[in-house]
Amino acid sequence: MRDTRELDEAVNRLADRLRAAPQSRLRQGAAAEGLALARELAALAQRLEGAPEVRVMPDAGVFAVGDQLAVAGADLAEALRAAARAEGGPGPGRADGAPGGAEPVGTVPGGAEAGGAEAVLADALARVRAAAERAGL
């Protein structure tokens, strides 16, 4: 099973900072940055899971963004673990382990091949760190 602890910790740390941030800080861009990241992580998870169409996470307001980020991060971590299991051998439907008709494992938003779940994990971790820096949290 893939070790996603570093991603889990980074996502949860940023989610906690968003939850604790004052309204003024959230409205100055921290919430928008958190929501954008949550949407990116959710899209990565959906692509890894072979979703035929990526659903966009709704904007539930500045006070919900920490929770949205935590959920998206947890979903991505689980999708990464499932992808790692699938990379161990072909799954039903396709020789590359992806369900029939779905994008191959490692496909990221924008259609770029990421080279598998390990690359998606590294990319997601970099995205979380960059978002935290941009948000000033």
Side-chain angles (χ1 to χ4, degrees), residues 3-105:
D3 184 5
T4 61
R5 279 180 290 186
E6 192 174 4
L7 177 63
D8 292 331
E9 290 170 2
V11 167
N12 288 329
R13 184 173 34 255
L14 181 53
D16 286 344
R17 289 177 181 166
L18 286 165
R19 290 179 188 121
Q23 182 177 3
S24 61
R25 183 80 177 135
L26 292 170
R27 293 206 185 277
Q28 290 171 355
E33 193 65 48
L35 179 59
L37 176 61
R39 287 175 170 168
E40 291 173 14
L41 298 182
L44 285 170
Q46 290 175 60
R47 294 278 171 97
L48 280 171
E49 293 168 342
E53 182 179 325
V54 173
R55 295 176 314 274
V56 177
M57 181 176 285
D59 183 346
V62 297
F63 298 115
V65 72
D67 293 334
Q68 288 180 292
L69 178 58
V71 168
D75 286 349
L76 178 57
E78 182 54 36
L80 285 164
R81 289 188 292 269
R85 290 188 296 271
E87 285 176 354
R94 289 180 50 158
D96 63 5
E103 293 292 324
V105 171

